[in-house]
Amino acid sequence: MGRWEPDARGRLEQAALELFIERGFEQATVTEIAERAGLTQRTFFRHFADKREVLFAGAGLLREFLVSAVASAPDSAAPIAAVAAALEAAGALLQERRESARQRQAVIAANAELQERELIKLASLASAIAGALRQRGVTDRAASLAAEAGIAVFRIAFERWTSQTNQPDLPQVIRESLDELKAVTAGE
Amino acid sequence: MGRWEPDARGRLEQAALELFIERGFEQATVTEIAERAGLTQRTFFRHFADKREVLFAGAGLLREFLVSAVASAPDSAAPIAAVAAALEAAGALLQERRESARQRQAVIAANAELQERELIKLASLASAIAGALRQRGVTDRAASLAAEAGIAVFRIAFERWTSQTNQPDLPQVIRESLDELKAVTAGE
């Protein structure tokens, strides 16, 4: 046993990601996932509605985290600064789970239906961030644009982070991508 | 008969949009659409694979149009300027079909599955634009950022354009939204 014993949910997630990569998302079954985690199917279904939810269960938490980070930015922060601070804070959390983030990304990249689900998740994050900005008094259009731009930066930074082997720092990659967006939209 | 006789495809599209709005997308049937257009089901299926395709058949053409517009921007144009020129040119085309664009938007807004399909369409447009920018020698990250930013601007401008009753000019709304994105990303 290692120094850290993952709980049942963590073991199921790890087993599922391994199986999705080894056998493909379509082929892997809940029975196999539970078996590999050394748990029962019943335990699996106590934690996840189905195997797809293993990949998307974190979305709700991420959304709440981003919304509350945007809300708690200083009053003086410009919309894009509030969004950037929220994304970097989320990036710092994800940074600690780099290996499973990388595995999850590989599973999604290999399956068109999962890619669609991921797009829908990202759109829902953008819409939640826009809502949090409107709560700060930002106009509709500026809120939508800052949120969509932020999510585009996040997605592109995330892909870059998971695909690179030199293990860059995710909040740093997010900052660099946002700087590049600023340069690109300024017409440089 | 009016001064303009729409062809079979145009009549089917118009009948479908009317029925989707009157009865809901789920409820309207191909039989009803063909009937209202004064055509046979057989003719419907010569033009569209199913009723959903009535709403998304234009996506392929729009993608080709945007890709070729990005490719034909002057060599000296910055990535965001090439994208802006392509979006405004597409906007000028859509401007001529405002009423059906407005109806289509209302149908999609009322149905979660169609909203997902629309998201996938927009992601595919962004990815095609990014490809066209890479062909111009733009780096991967800048190409993705300029394309995603462009599509966010387009989506937000399009929603604004279809929801306003004073019939603003779509290319103009696109320009204003891009200017606002520039201000927002600059931290204003």
Side-chain angles (χ1 to χ4, degrees), chain A residues 78 80 116 119-120 141-142 144-146 148 155-156 160 177 180 182 184-185 187, chain B residues 78 80 116 120 123 141-142 144-146 148 155-156 160 177 180 182 184-185 187:
Chain A
I80 196 73
E116 297 182 358
L119 275 180
I120 293 157
R141 186 161 67 174
S144 297
L145 286 165
E148 297 272 351
R155 194 178 66 66
I156 287 160
R160 198 177 179 86
S177 297
E180 183 145 13
K182 288 181 187 194
V184 161
T185 51
Chain B
I80 197 73
E116 297 184 358
I120 292 158
R141 185 161 68 174
S144 297
L145 287 165
E148 297 273 351
R155 192 177 68 65
I156 288 161
R160 197 177 179 86
S177 298
E180 183 145 13
K182 288 180 188 196
V184 161
T185 51

PDB file of all heavy atoms in Angstrom, chain A residues 78 80 116 119-120 141-142 144-146 148 155-156 160 177 180 182 184-185 187, chain B residues 78 80 116 120 123 141-142 144-146 148 155-156 160 177 180 182 184-185 187:
ATOM      1  N   ALA A  78     -11.391  44.422 -13.476  1.00  0.00           N
ATOM      2  CA  ALA A  78     -12.087  44.423 -14.765  1.00  0.00           C
ATOM      3  C   ALA A  78     -12.631  43.015 -15.004  1.00  0.00           C
ATOM      4  O   ALA A  78     -12.105  42.044 -14.444  1.00  0.00           O
ATOM      5  CB  ALA A  78     -11.116  44.813 -15.877  1.00  0.00           C
ATOM      6  N   ILE A  80     -12.364  40.825 -17.401  1.00  0.00           N
ATOM      7  CA  ILE A  80     -11.411  39.815 -17.866  1.00  0.00           C
ATOM      8  C   ILE A  80     -10.430  39.434 -16.746  1.00  0.00           C
ATOM      9  O   ILE A  80      -9.982  38.285 -16.660  1.00  0.00           O
ATOM     10  CB  ILE A  80     -10.665  40.286 -19.150  1.00  0.00           C
ATOM     11  CG1 ILE A  80      -9.985  39.097 -19.858  1.00  0.00           C
ATOM     12  CG2 ILE A  80      -9.640  41.366 -18.842  1.00  0.00           C
ATOM     13  CD1 ILE A  80     -10.930  38.164 -20.559  1.00  0.00           C
ATOM     14  N   GLU A 116     -18.527  15.946 -27.838  1.00  0.00           N
ATOM     15  CA  GLU A 116     -19.738  16.772 -27.839  1.00  0.00           C
ATOM     16  C   GLU A 116     -20.150  17.111 -26.413  1.00  0.00           C
ATOM     17  O   GLU A 116     -20.499  18.240 -26.102  1.00  0.00           O
ATOM     18  CB  GLU A 116     -20.881  16.046 -28.568  1.00  0.00           C
ATOM     19  CG  GLU A 116     -20.554  15.812 -30.027  1.00  0.00           C
ATOM     20  CD  GLU A 116     -21.681  15.148 -30.811  1.00  0.00           C
ATOM     21  OE1 GLU A 116     -22.721  14.824 -30.207  1.00  0.00           O
ATOM     22  OE2 GLU A 116     -21.517  14.973 -32.026  1.00  0.00           O
ATOM     23  N   LEU A 119     -17.949  19.789 -25.057  1.00  0.00           N
ATOM     24  CA  LEU A 119     -18.327  21.103 -25.593  1.00  0.00           C
ATOM     25  C   LEU A 119     -19.495  21.689 -24.810  1.00  0.00           C
ATOM     26  O   LEU A 119     -19.530  22.875 -24.495  1.00  0.00           O
ATOM     27  CB  LEU A 119     -18.801  20.972 -27.046  1.00  0.00           C
ATOM     28  CG  LEU A 119     -17.771  20.990 -28.150  1.00  0.00           C
ATOM     29  CD1 LEU A 119     -18.475  20.834 -29.486  1.00  0.00           C
ATOM     30  CD2 LEU A 119     -16.985  22.303 -28.110  1.00  0.00           C
ATOM     31  N   ILE A 120     -20.475  20.821 -24.517  1.00  0.00           N
ATOM     32  CA  ILE A 120     -21.660  21.270 -23.786  1.00  0.00           C
ATOM     33  C   ILE A 120     -21.262  21.683 -22.377  1.00  0.00           C
ATOM     34  O   ILE A 120     -21.727  22.693 -21.846  1.00  0.00           O
ATOM     35  CB  ILE A 120     -22.722  20.146 -23.787  1.00  0.00           C
ATOM     36  CG1 ILE A 120     -23.231  19.949 -25.212  1.00  0.00           C
ATOM     37  CG2 ILE A 120     -23.861  20.444 -22.824  1.00  0.00           C
ATOM     38  CD1 ILE A 120     -23.824  18.587 -25.473  1.00  0.00           C
ATOM     39  N   ARG A 141     -23.484  41.936 -22.923  1.00  0.00           N
ATOM     40  CA  ARG A 141     -22.585  41.580 -24.017  1.00  0.00           C
ATOM     41  C   ARG A 141     -21.155  41.439 -23.528  1.00  0.00           C
ATOM     42  O   ARG A 141     -20.459  40.490 -23.882  1.00  0.00           O
ATOM     43  CB  ARG A 141     -22.681  42.604 -25.149  1.00  0.00           C
ATOM     44  CG  ARG A 141     -21.859  42.178 -26.359  1.00  0.00           C
ATOM     45  CD  ARG A 141     -22.263  42.880 -27.636  1.00  0.00           C
ATOM     46  NE  ARG A 141     -21.963  44.293 -27.594  1.00  0.00           N
ATOM     47  CZ  ARG A 141     -22.107  45.116 -28.644  1.00  0.00           C
ATOM     48  NH1 ARG A 141     -22.555  44.637 -29.800  1.00  0.00           N
ATOM     49  NH2 ARG A 141     -21.826  46.382 -28.545  1.00  0.00           N
ATOM     50  N   ALA A 142     -20.698  42.385 -22.689  1.00  0.00           N
ATOM     51  CA  ALA A 142     -19.328  42.300 -22.171  1.00  0.00           C
ATOM     52  C   ALA A 142     -19.160  41.046 -21.317  1.00  0.00           C
ATOM     53  O   ALA A 142     -18.124  40.376 -21.364  1.00  0.00           O
ATOM     54  CB  ALA A 142     -18.989  43.557 -21.363  1.00  0.00           C
ATOM     55  N   SER A 144     -20.821  38.157 -21.614  1.00  0.00           N
ATOM     56  CA  SER A 144     -20.748  36.983 -22.492  1.00  0.00           C
ATOM     57  C   SER A 144     -19.398  36.898 -23.185  1.00  0.00           C
ATOM     58  O   SER A 144     -18.802  35.817 -23.282  1.00  0.00           O
ATOM     59  CB  SER A 144     -21.846  37.038 -23.561  1.00  0.00           C
ATOM     60  OG  SER A 144     -23.109  37.004 -22.952  1.00  0.00           O
ATOM     61  N   LEU A 145     -18.917  38.042 -23.673  1.00  0.00           N
ATOM     62  CA  LEU A 145     -17.641  38.032 -24.404  1.00  0.00           C
ATOM     63  C   LEU A 145     -16.482  37.666 -23.485  1.00  0.00           C
ATOM     64  O   LEU A 145     -15.617  36.856 -23.848  1.00  0.00           O
ATOM     65  CB  LEU A 145     -17.398  39.396 -25.061  1.00  0.00           C
ATOM     66  CG  LEU A 145     -18.266  39.678 -26.298  1.00  0.00           C
ATOM     67  CD1 LEU A 145     -18.228  41.156 -26.653  1.00  0.00           C
ATOM     68  CD2 LEU A 145     -17.815  38.830 -27.489  1.00  0.00           C
ATOM     69  N   ALA A 146     -16.435  38.233 -22.278  1.00  0.00           N
ATOM     70  CA  ALA A 146     -15.337  37.923 -21.350  1.00  0.00           C
ATOM     71  C   ALA A 146     -15.390  36.452 -20.948  1.00  0.00           C
ATOM     72  O   ALA A 146     -14.351  35.781 -20.854  1.00  0.00           O
ATOM     73  CB  ALA A 146     -15.427  38.823 -20.111  1.00  0.00           C
ATOM     74  N   GLU A 148     -16.809  33.879 -22.681  1.00  0.00           N
ATOM     75  CA  GLU A 148     -16.477  33.006 -23.817  1.00  0.00           C
ATOM     76  C   GLU A 148     -14.977  33.059 -24.106  1.00  0.00           C
ATOM     77  O   GLU A 148     -14.352  32.045 -24.401  1.00  0.00           O
ATOM     78  CB  GLU A 148     -17.228  33.446 -25.078  1.00  0.00           C
ATOM     79  CG  GLU A 148     -18.724  33.347 -24.976  1.00  0.00           C
ATOM     80  CD  GLU A 148     -19.249  31.971 -25.380  1.00  0.00           C
ATOM     81  OE1 GLU A 148     -18.467  31.160 -25.904  1.00  0.00           O
ATOM     82  OE2 GLU A 148     -20.445  31.715 -25.147  1.00  0.00           O
ATOM     83  N   ARG A 155      -9.626  26.266 -22.446  1.00  0.00           N
ATOM     84  CA  ARG A 155      -9.619  25.032 -23.227  1.00  0.00           C
ATOM     85  C   ARG A 155      -8.288  24.857 -23.955  1.00  0.00           C
ATOM     86  O   ARG A 155      -7.692  23.778 -23.965  1.00  0.00           O
ATOM     87  CB  ARG A 155     -10.766  25.065 -24.246  1.00  0.00           C
ATOM     88  CG  ARG A 155     -11.058  23.723 -24.882  1.00  0.00           C
ATOM     89  CD  ARG A 155     -12.228  23.804 -25.844  1.00  0.00           C
ATOM     90  NE  ARG A 155     -11.953  24.618 -27.011  1.00  0.00           N
ATOM     91  CZ  ARG A 155     -11.068  24.320 -27.946  1.00  0.00           C
ATOM     92  NH1 ARG A 155     -10.335  23.224 -27.868  1.00  0.00           N
ATOM     93  NH2 ARG A 155     -10.901  25.119 -28.967  1.00  0.00           N
ATOM     94  N   ILE A 156      -7.826  25.942 -24.565  1.00  0.00           N
ATOM     95  CA  ILE A 156      -6.595  25.871 -25.346  1.00  0.00           C
ATOM     96  C   ILE A 156      -5.392  25.658 -24.419  1.00  0.00           C
ATOM     97  O   ILE A 156      -4.491  24.878 -24.720  1.00  0.00           O
ATOM     98  CB  ILE A 156      -6.483  27.137 -26.235  1.00  0.00           C
ATOM     99  CG1 ILE A 156      -7.509  27.016 -27.374  1.00  0.00           C
ATOM    100  CG2 ILE A 156      -5.075  27.338 -26.763  1.00  0.00           C
ATOM    101  CD1 ILE A 156      -7.876  28.310 -28.048  1.00  0.00           C
ATOM    102  N   ARG A 160      -2.919  22.288 -24.246  1.00  0.00           N
ATOM    103  CA  ARG A 160      -1.479  22.477 -24.323  1.00  0.00           C
ATOM    104  C   ARG A 160      -0.796  21.835 -23.115  1.00  0.00           C
ATOM    105  O   ARG A 160       0.206  21.138 -23.239  1.00  0.00           O
ATOM    106  CB  ARG A 160      -1.210  23.985 -24.314  1.00  0.00           C
ATOM    107  CG  ARG A 160       0.152  24.379 -24.797  1.00  0.00           C
ATOM    108  CD  ARG A 160       0.259  25.896 -24.796  1.00  0.00           C
ATOM    109  NE  ARG A 160       1.574  26.290 -25.233  1.00  0.00           N
ATOM    110  CZ  ARG A 160       1.914  26.439 -26.507  1.00  0.00           C
ATOM    111  NH1 ARG A 160       1.044  26.224 -27.459  1.00  0.00           N
ATOM    112  NH2 ARG A 160       3.150  26.790 -26.830  1.00  0.00           N
ATOM    113  N   SER A 177      -1.624  31.988 -22.357  1.00  0.00           N
ATOM    114  CA  SER A 177      -2.654  31.916 -23.407  1.00  0.00           C
ATOM    115  C   SER A 177      -3.522  33.163 -23.395  1.00  0.00           C
ATOM    116  O   SER A 177      -3.921  33.660 -24.455  1.00  0.00           O
ATOM    117  CB  SER A 177      -3.527  30.673 -23.226  1.00  0.00           C
ATOM    118  OG  SER A 177      -2.738  29.515 -23.361  1.00  0.00           O
ATOM    119  N   GLU A 180      -1.644  35.835 -25.008  1.00  0.00           N
ATOM    120  CA  GLU A 180      -1.655  35.685 -26.459  1.00  0.00           C
ATOM    121  C   GLU A 180      -3.008  36.110 -27.039  1.00  0.00           C
ATOM    122  O   GLU A 180      -3.059  36.733 -28.097  1.00  0.00           O
ATOM    123  CB  GLU A 180      -1.312  34.245 -26.889  1.00  0.00           C
ATOM    124  CG  GLU A 180      -1.251  34.138 -28.396  1.00  0.00           C
ATOM    125  CD  GLU A 180      -0.199  33.172 -28.885  1.00  0.00           C
ATOM    126  OE1 GLU A 180       0.338  32.380 -28.080  1.00  0.00           O
ATOM    127  OE2 GLU A 180       0.075  33.194 -30.108  1.00  0.00           O
ATOM    128  N   LYS A 182      -4.879  38.438 -25.837  1.00  0.00           N
ATOM    129  CA  LYS A 182      -4.859  39.912 -25.848  1.00  0.00           C
ATOM    130  C   LYS A 182      -4.109  40.419 -27.064  1.00  0.00           C
ATOM    131  O   LYS A 182      -4.562  41.344 -27.755  1.00  0.00           O
ATOM    132  CB  LYS A 182      -4.189  40.442 -24.577  1.00  0.00           C
ATOM    133  CG  LYS A 182      -5.060  40.247 -23.342  1.00  0.00           C
ATOM    134  CD  LYS A 182      -4.404  40.800 -22.077  1.00  0.00           C
ATOM    135  CE  LYS A 182      -5.266  40.416 -20.875  1.00  0.00           C
ATOM    136  NZ  LYS A 182      -4.949  41.130 -19.653  1.00  0.00           N
ATOM    137  N   VAL A 184      -3.580  38.779 -29.881  1.00  0.00           N
ATOM    138  CA  VAL A 184      -4.307  38.403 -31.105  1.00  0.00           C
ATOM    139  C   VAL A 184      -5.482  39.333 -31.339  1.00  0.00           C
ATOM    140  O   VAL A 184      -5.689  39.819 -32.460  1.00  0.00           O
ATOM    141  CB  VAL A 184      -4.778  36.920 -31.009  1.00  0.00           C
ATOM    142  CG1 VAL A 184      -5.896  36.627 -32.004  1.00  0.00           C
ATOM    143  CG2 VAL A 184      -3.610  35.970 -31.255  1.00  0.00           C
ATOM    144  N   THR A 185      -6.286  39.608 -30.298  1.00  0.00           N
ATOM    145  CA  THR A 185      -7.459  40.468 -30.520  1.00  0.00           C
ATOM    146  C   THR A 185      -7.033  41.912 -30.791  1.00  0.00           C
ATOM    147  O   THR A 185      -7.740  42.645 -31.476  1.00  0.00           O
ATOM    148  CB  THR A 185      -8.449  40.466 -29.325  1.00  0.00           C
ATOM    149  OG1 THR A 185      -7.726  40.723 -28.135  1.00  0.00           O
ATOM    150  CG2 THR A 185      -9.163  39.136 -29.205  1.00  0.00           C
ATOM    151  N   GLY A 187      -4.800  42.620 -32.706  1.00  0.00           N
ATOM    152  CA  GLY A 187      -4.397  42.645 -34.111  1.00  0.00           C
ATOM    153  C   GLY A 187      -2.902  42.490 -34.325  1.00  0.00           C
ATOM    154  O   GLY A 187      -2.385  42.860 -35.386  1.00  0.00           O
TER     155      GLY A 187
ATOM    156  N   ALA B  78      -3.619  40.830 -40.190  1.00  0.00           N
ATOM    157  CA  ALA B  78      -3.396  40.088 -38.948  1.00  0.00           C
ATOM    158  C   ALA B  78      -4.476  39.009 -38.840  1.00  0.00           C
ATOM    159  O   ALA B  78      -5.542  39.146 -39.442  1.00  0.00           O
ATOM    160  CB  ALA B  78      -3.492  41.043 -37.763  1.00  0.00           C
ATOM    161  N   ILE B  80      -6.695  38.194 -36.615  1.00  0.00           N
ATOM    162  CA  ILE B  80      -8.033  38.623 -36.189  1.00  0.00           C
ATOM    163  C   ILE B  80      -8.712  39.456 -37.284  1.00  0.00           C
ATOM    164  O   ILE B  80      -9.939  39.405 -37.437  1.00  0.00           O
ATOM    165  CB  ILE B  80      -7.980  39.396 -34.838  1.00  0.00           C
ATOM    166  CG1 ILE B  80      -9.374  39.479 -34.199  1.00  0.00           C
ATOM    167  CG2 ILE B  80      -7.388  40.792 -35.006  1.00  0.00           C
ATOM    168  CD1 ILE B  80      -9.866  38.194 -33.610  1.00  0.00           C
ATOM    169  N   GLU B 116     -27.470  21.788 -28.513  1.00  0.00           N
ATOM    170  CA  GLU B 116     -26.221  21.021 -28.506  1.00  0.00           C
ATOM    171  C   GLU B 116     -25.669  20.887 -29.917  1.00  0.00           C
ATOM    172  O   GLU B 116     -24.475  21.050 -30.153  1.00  0.00           O
ATOM    173  CB  GLU B 116     -26.463  19.638 -27.891  1.00  0.00           C
ATOM    174  CG  GLU B 116     -26.889  19.732 -26.438  1.00  0.00           C
ATOM    175  CD  GLU B 116     -27.053  18.367 -25.775  1.00  0.00           C
ATOM    176  OE1 GLU B 116     -26.878  17.332 -26.465  1.00  0.00           O
ATOM    177  OE2 GLU B 116     -27.337  18.341 -24.560  1.00  0.00           O
ATOM    178  N   ILE B 120     -22.061  22.227 -31.527  1.00  0.00           N
ATOM    179  CA  ILE B 120     -21.129  21.379 -32.277  1.00  0.00           C
ATOM    180  C   ILE B 120     -20.836  22.018 -33.628  1.00  0.00           C
ATOM    181  O   ILE B 120     -19.698  22.035 -34.090  1.00  0.00           O
ATOM    182  CB  ILE B 120     -21.723  19.961 -32.414  1.00  0.00           C
ATOM    183  CG1 ILE B 120     -21.768  19.308 -31.036  1.00  0.00           C
ATOM    184  CG2 ILE B 120     -20.940  19.115 -33.404  1.00  0.00           C
ATOM    185  CD1 ILE B 120     -22.765  18.179 -30.921  1.00  0.00           C
ATOM    186  N   ALA B 123     -18.429  24.863 -33.040  1.00  0.00           N
ATOM    187  CA  ALA B 123     -17.082  24.362 -32.774  1.00  0.00           C
ATOM    188  C   ALA B 123     -16.424  23.913 -34.069  1.00  0.00           C
ATOM    189  O   ALA B 123     -15.220  24.112 -34.276  1.00  0.00           O
ATOM    190  CB  ALA B 123     -17.136  23.209 -31.767  1.00  0.00           C
ATOM    191  N   ARG B 141      -1.467  28.058 -31.595  1.00  0.00           N
ATOM    192  CA  ARG B 141      -2.206  28.662 -30.492  1.00  0.00           C
ATOM    193  C   ARG B 141      -2.898  29.954 -30.910  1.00  0.00           C
ATOM    194  O   ARG B 141      -4.063  30.173 -30.598  1.00  0.00           O
ATOM    195  CB  ARG B 141      -1.300  28.896 -29.278  1.00  0.00           C
ATOM    196  CG  ARG B 141      -2.080  29.403 -28.080  1.00  0.00           C
ATOM    197  CD  ARG B 141      -1.365  29.215 -26.764  1.00  0.00           C
ATOM    198  NE  ARG B 141      -0.184  30.053 -26.674  1.00  0.00           N
ATOM    199  CZ  ARG B 141       0.561  30.162 -25.570  1.00  0.00           C
ATOM    200  NH1 ARG B 141       0.252  29.468 -24.487  1.00  0.00           N
ATOM    201  NH2 ARG B 141       1.620  30.939 -25.546  1.00  0.00           N
ATOM    202  N   ALA B 142      -2.180  30.795 -31.666  1.00  0.00           N
ATOM    203  CA  ALA B 142      -2.792  32.054 -32.113  1.00  0.00           C
ATOM    204  C   ALA B 142      -3.960  31.776 -33.053  1.00  0.00           C
ATOM    205  O   ALA B 142      -4.991  32.455 -32.997  1.00  0.00           O
ATOM    206  CB  ALA B 142      -1.744  32.931 -32.795  1.00  0.00           C
ATOM    207  N   SER B 144      -5.935  29.083 -33.056  1.00  0.00           N
ATOM    208  CA  SER B 144      -7.084  28.604 -32.276  1.00  0.00           C
ATOM    209  C   SER B 144      -7.739  29.754 -31.525  1.00  0.00           C
ATOM    210  O   SER B 144      -8.972  29.860 -31.480  1.00  0.00           O
ATOM    211  CB  SER B 144      -6.648  27.542 -31.261  1.00  0.00           C
ATOM    212  OG  SER B 144      -6.140  26.419 -31.942  1.00  0.00           O
ATOM    213  N   LEU B 145      -6.930  30.623 -30.916  1.00  0.00           N
ATOM    214  CA  LEU B 145      -7.479  31.728 -30.136  1.00  0.00           C
ATOM    215  C   LEU B 145      -8.244  32.712 -31.022  1.00  0.00           C
ATOM    216  O   LEU B 145      -9.346  33.144 -30.681  1.00  0.00           O
ATOM    217  CB  LEU B 145      -6.369  32.443 -29.367  1.00  0.00           C
ATOM    218  CG  LEU B 145      -5.813  31.670 -28.161  1.00  0.00           C
ATOM    219  CD1 LEU B 145      -4.498  32.268 -27.686  1.00  0.00           C
ATOM    220  CD2 LEU B 145      -6.828  31.635 -27.012  1.00  0.00           C
ATOM    221  N   ALA B 146      -7.672  33.066 -32.171  1.00  0.00           N
ATOM    222  CA  ALA B 146      -8.350  34.014 -33.063  1.00  0.00           C
ATOM    223  C   ALA B 146      -9.653  33.409 -33.585  1.00  0.00           C
ATOM    224  O   ALA B 146     -10.676  34.097 -33.676  1.00  0.00           O
ATOM    225  CB  ALA B 146      -7.433  34.396 -34.228  1.00  0.00           C
ATOM    226  N   GLU B 148     -11.529  30.949 -32.128  1.00  0.00           N
ATOM    227  CA  GLU B 148     -12.514  30.814 -31.046  1.00  0.00           C
ATOM    228  C   GLU B 148     -13.088  32.180 -30.680  1.00  0.00           C
ATOM    229  O   GLU B 148     -14.282  32.326 -30.434  1.00  0.00           O
ATOM    230  CB  GLU B 148     -11.870  30.207 -29.794  1.00  0.00           C
ATOM    231  CG  GLU B 148     -11.345  28.800 -29.976  1.00  0.00           C
ATOM    232  CD  GLU B 148     -12.411  27.737 -29.719  1.00  0.00           C
ATOM    233  OE1 GLU B 148     -13.498  28.091 -29.232  1.00  0.00           O
ATOM    234  OE2 GLU B 148     -12.150  26.572 -30.034  1.00  0.00           O
ATOM    235  N   ARG B 155     -21.366  34.488 -32.601  1.00  0.00           N
ATOM    236  CA  ARG B 155     -22.532  33.931 -31.918  1.00  0.00           C
ATOM    237  C   ARG B 155     -23.276  35.023 -31.139  1.00  0.00           C
ATOM    238  O   ARG B 155     -24.503  35.135 -31.193  1.00  0.00           O
ATOM    239  CB  ARG B 155     -22.092  32.823 -30.964  1.00  0.00           C
ATOM    240  CG  ARG B 155     -23.236  31.982 -30.432  1.00  0.00           C
ATOM    241  CD  ARG B 155     -22.738  30.855 -29.557  1.00  0.00           C
ATOM    242  NE  ARG B 155     -22.168  31.326 -28.304  1.00  0.00           N
ATOM    243  CZ  ARG B 155     -22.845  31.946 -27.348  1.00  0.00           C
ATOM    244  NH1 ARG B 155     -24.128  32.194 -27.498  1.00  0.00           N
ATOM    245  NH2 ARG B 155     -22.246  32.328 -26.248  1.00  0.00           N
ATOM    246  N   ILE B 156     -22.508  35.831 -30.427  1.00  0.00           N
ATOM    247  CA  ILE B 156     -23.106  36.870 -29.597  1.00  0.00           C
ATOM    248  C   ILE B 156     -23.742  37.953 -30.479  1.00  0.00           C
ATOM    249  O   ILE B 156     -24.843  38.433 -30.200  1.00  0.00           O
ATOM    250  CB  ILE B 156     -22.046  37.417 -28.613  1.00  0.00           C
ATOM    251  CG1 ILE B 156     -21.797  36.342 -27.543  1.00  0.00           C
ATOM    252  CG2 ILE B 156     -22.475  38.740 -28.001  1.00  0.00           C
ATOM    253  CD1 ILE B 156     -20.505  36.483 -26.783  1.00  0.00           C
ATOM    254  N   ARG B 160     -27.810  38.868 -30.801  1.00  0.00           N
ATOM    255  CA  ARG B 160     -28.238  40.252 -30.644  1.00  0.00           C
ATOM    256  C   ARG B 160     -29.040  40.714 -31.862  1.00  0.00           C
ATOM    257  O   ARG B 160     -30.087  41.337 -31.734  1.00  0.00           O
ATOM    258  CB  ARG B 160     -26.971  41.106 -30.508  1.00  0.00           C
ATOM    259  CG  ARG B 160     -27.188  42.467 -29.942  1.00  0.00           C
ATOM    260  CD  ARG B 160     -25.833  43.154 -29.791  1.00  0.00           C
ATOM    261  NE  ARG B 160     -26.009  44.476 -29.265  1.00  0.00           N
ATOM    262  CZ  ARG B 160     -26.091  44.758 -27.971  1.00  0.00           C
ATOM    263  NH1 ARG B 160     -25.985  43.821 -27.077  1.00  0.00           N
ATOM    264  NH2 ARG B 160     -26.271  46.006 -27.576  1.00  0.00           N
ATOM    265  N   SER B 177     -19.379  44.080 -31.839  1.00  0.00           N
ATOM    266  CA  SER B 177     -19.088  43.035 -30.847  1.00  0.00           C
ATOM    267  C   SER B 177     -17.587  42.748 -30.808  1.00  0.00           C
ATOM    268  O   SER B 177     -17.022  42.489 -29.744  1.00  0.00           O
ATOM    269  CB  SER B 177     -19.855  41.750 -31.169  1.00  0.00           C
ATOM    270  OG  SER B 177     -21.242  41.994 -31.117  1.00  0.00           O
ATOM    271  N   GLU B 180     -15.992  45.399 -28.899  1.00  0.00           N
ATOM    272  CA  GLU B 180     -16.201  45.209 -27.460  1.00  0.00           C
ATOM    273  C   GLU B 180     -15.291  44.101 -26.932  1.00  0.00           C
ATOM    274  O   GLU B 180     -14.755  44.214 -25.820  1.00  0.00           O
ATOM    275  CB  GLU B 180     -17.672  44.915 -27.146  1.00  0.00           C
ATOM    276  CG  GLU B 180     -17.883  44.806 -25.650  1.00  0.00           C
ATOM    277  CD  GLU B 180     -19.220  45.351 -25.174  1.00  0.00           C
ATOM    278  OE1 GLU B 180     -20.114  45.597 -26.008  1.00  0.00           O
ATOM    279  OE2 GLU B 180     -19.366  45.532 -23.951  1.00  0.00           O
ATOM    280  N   LYS B 182     -12.353  43.417 -28.018  1.00  0.00           N
ATOM    281  CA  LYS B 182     -11.025  44.043 -27.900  1.00  0.00           C
ATOM    282  C   LYS B 182     -10.914  44.833 -26.607  1.00  0.00           C
ATOM    283  O   LYS B 182      -9.917  44.746 -25.886  1.00  0.00           O
ATOM    284  CB  LYS B 182     -10.741  44.959 -29.105  1.00  0.00           C
ATOM    285  CG  LYS B 182     -10.492  44.185 -30.378  1.00  0.00           C
ATOM    286  CD  LYS B 182     -10.207  45.103 -31.570  1.00  0.00           C
ATOM    287  CE  LYS B 182     -10.163  44.257 -32.839  1.00  0.00           C
ATOM    288  NZ  LYS B 182      -9.547  44.918 -33.993  1.00  0.00           N
ATOM    289  N   VAL B 184     -12.763  44.439 -23.902  1.00  0.00           N
ATOM    290  CA  VAL B 184     -12.878  43.532 -22.762  1.00  0.00           C
ATOM    291  C   VAL B 184     -11.555  42.798 -22.507  1.00  0.00           C
ATOM    292  O   VAL B 184     -11.094  42.722 -21.366  1.00  0.00           O
ATOM    293  CB  VAL B 184     -14.032  42.516 -22.990  1.00  0.00           C
ATOM    294  CG1 VAL B 184     -13.889  41.309 -22.085  1.00  0.00           C
ATOM    295  CG2 VAL B 184     -15.383  43.184 -22.759  1.00  0.00           C
ATOM    296  N   THR B 185     -10.932  42.266 -23.560  1.00  0.00           N
ATOM    297  CA  THR B 185      -9.680  41.529 -23.335  1.00  0.00           C
ATOM    298  C   THR B 185      -8.555  42.473 -22.930  1.00  0.00           C
ATOM    299  O   THR B 185      -7.628  42.064 -22.236  1.00  0.00           O
ATOM    300  CB  THR B 185      -9.239  40.715 -24.575  1.00  0.00           C
ATOM    301  OG1 THR B 185      -9.233  41.570 -25.705  1.00  0.00           O
ATOM    302  CG2 THR B 185     -10.171  39.550 -24.827  1.00  0.00           C
ATOM    303  N   GLY B 187      -8.899  44.638 -20.866  1.00  0.00           N
ATOM    304  CA  GLY B 187      -9.112  44.899 -19.435  1.00  0.00           C
ATOM    305  C   GLY B 187      -9.863  46.189 -19.164  1.00  0.00           C
ATOM    306  O   GLY B 187      -9.798  46.722 -18.060  1.00  0.00           O
TER     307      GLY B 187
END
